[in-house]
Amino acid sequence: MKVVVAELCEAVSPCDFEVVLSTMPLELQGTDFVPLSPPHVRLRLRREGRKIAVEAAVRARMLSPCARCLADSITDLNLAATDLWPLCGMSDETADFLVSPFMEDAGRVVNLAEYGLALLVEHLPVRVLCSGDCRGLCPTCGLNRNERDCACGQGEIDPRLAVLGRLLQDKGGVRDGATEKKNI
Ligand SMILES: [Zn+2]
Ligand SMILES: [Zn+2]
């Protein structure tokens, strides 16, 4: 959905828009997020002096793998955001704004779907867990430790203790050698 900025400026009352995004998967830092239904974006735009004031609400239900066990996990996003879009040629900040992916035709047209998508991506969680106490996958055999326990962890010594164990072994070796010499 595209809106001509000049029309926003001329409007006497706030303009409301409802944008439905596609269910195309999104990627954030190597994690895929798949919308389970088309994400909804509601926008209220009104002119405030040299800017367009934006009130946005985004609703989305995303499926992504748990960061520890890779099981499918659902994240419900229900976010509200505000923004100010500087109007063309009014100030220095306009330069950045004009190259934003949701502005087209040299700042004369704003692509609301692109703006909604940018908001959604910006608010995706960096790390999704299936539950706060997810036990993850065993680093040795890959078994999902939420489902059952594997035998890999058993008999393992704390790495700090393992060092101590090796020191004791070395000492023992020297002493044994000494003892042997004495015996000879
Ligand atoms: Zn998990
Ligand atoms: Zn294991």
Side-chain angles (χ1 to χ4, degrees):
M1 185 187 282
K2 295 177 186 184
V3 175
V4 177
V5 174
E7 288 174 10
L8 290 175
C9 293
E10 285 160 15
V12 284
S13 52
C15 307
D16 290 323
F17 300 93
E18 180 132 10
V19 186
V20 179
L21 302 179
S22 80
T23 52
M24 190 180 72
L26 304 172
E27 201 210 297
L28 179 72
Q29 296 179 5
T31 302
D32 278 330
F33 288 83
V34 182
L36 288 177
S37 57
H40 271 252
V41 184
R42 275 190 297 118
L43 293 165
R44 168 162 285 197
L45 308 175
R46 70 195 144 75
R47 182 170 183 176
E48 241 178 42
R50 298 295 190 203
K51 291 173 179 176
I52 299 285
V54 185
E55 285 173 51
V58 182
R59 223 162 10 94
R61 171 165 268 218
M62 312 295 282
L63 189 75
S64 59
C66 167
R68 287 188 197 149
C69 74
L70 306 178
D72 281 347
S73 307
I74 292 173
T75 305
D76 280 311
L77 286 166
N78 220 331
L79 62 101
T82 56
D83 213 342
L84 285 171
W85 296 339
L87 292 172
C88 208
M90 301 294 183
S91 66
D92 290 345
E93 58 187 316
T94 316
D96 280 346
F97 176 67
L98 292 180
V99 295
S100 56
F102 51 92
M103 293 309 293
E104 295 172 8
D105 196 14
R108 281 186 280 273
V109 173
V110 54
N111 186 328
L112 298 184
E114 284 294 336
Y115 178 71
L117 187 66
L119 269 185
L120 176 59
V121 170
E122 194 181 307
H123 289 87
L124 287 175
V126 176
R127 188 175 156 84
V128 174
L129 294 180
C130 62
S131 82
D133 55 1
C134 170
R135 298 172 66 213
L137 303 178
C138 168
T140 310
C141 71
L143 191 106
N144 186 340
R145 291 191 285 203
N146 299 313
E147 289 165 7
R148 69 194 156 87
D149 288 316
C150 58
C152 301
Q154 291 168 15
E156 246 173 45
I157 325 171
D158 184 299
R160 288 161 299 177
L161 292 180
V163 170
L164 195 67
R166 270 200 301 278
L167 283 174
L168 286 174
Q169 251 175 13
D170 290 348
K171 266 192 175 174
V174 171
R175 193 176 57 223
D176 282 348
T179 315
E180 264 176 47
K181 271 182 189 165
K182 269 184 191 168
N183 285 348
I184 288 167

